[in-house]
Amino acid sequence: MATKELPAYLQSIFYPLFNHAKDLECKLMLIDQMLEVGDRKELPFLAELETHENPKISNKAFEIKSKLQDKLGLISESERRRLPMNLCFIYDEFNIRPSKVDPDLEFGVTLDIMTME
């Protein structure tokens, strides 16, 4: 018999507390507490809350998720997609020059990199 695992956001201890909270202030206070006592299990729940219909909750969830990632020493998804700084200088490092401009693709905009020799 196959076991079914709960979705990641349901693993958070704050999930049932958040669902039973009646007013907005209590929900915002719970989100704040995720930073104080939360761990990795809160990150999927905070990501789920970022899509909440109330902008105060979604903004607070985004803020706390970023701070919790910093506290835990994790790299965010947007940081993971960034290129390392040393790749910014790859043209100079390997003496690579961009290809010549195709006249069919000329849009009237000159780029400094295209005039380098």
Side-chain angles (χ1 to χ4, degrees), residues 27 52 70 109 113:
K27 291 181 180 194
H52 196 275
D70 289 343
V109 177
I113 196 167

Side-chain angles (χ1 to χ4, degrees), residues 20-105:
H20 291 297
K22 298 294 181 197
D23 61 357
L24 179 64
E25 291 304 314
C26 287
K27 291 181 180 194
L28 293 174
M29 193 167 47
L30 280 170
I31 295 173
D32 281 330
Q33 288 303 308
M34 287 183 203
L35 180 60
E36 298 299 319
V37 296
D39 59 8
R40 290 176 183 253
K41 291 182 182 179
E42 274 59 68
L43 293 174
F45 182 50
L46 286 167
E48 187 75 19
L49 288 177
E50 286 178 333
T51 62
H52 196 275
E53 69 249 0
N54 188 322
K56 287 184 179 181
I57 290 176
S58 63
N59 291 339
K60 178 63 85 170
F62 177 78
E63 174 190 339
I64 296 300
K65 181 180 154 198
S66 298
K67 288 180 179 179
L68 185 58
Q69 285 174 329
D70 289 343
K71 178 182 170 185
L72 297 173
L74 301 175
I75 299 173
S76 68
E77 187 63 32
S78 62
E79 288 289 323
R80 191 173 294 129
R81 282 186 260 143
R82 288 186 181 174
L83 295 175
M85 189 63 172
N86 59 356
L87 286 181
C88 295
F89 306 103
I90 195 110
Y91 279 160
D92 292 334
E93 187 174 334
F94 292 104
N95 200 18
I96 298 172
R97 298 291 171 231
S99 62
K100 298 295 179 192
V101 178
D102 185 356
D104 294 333
L105 297 177

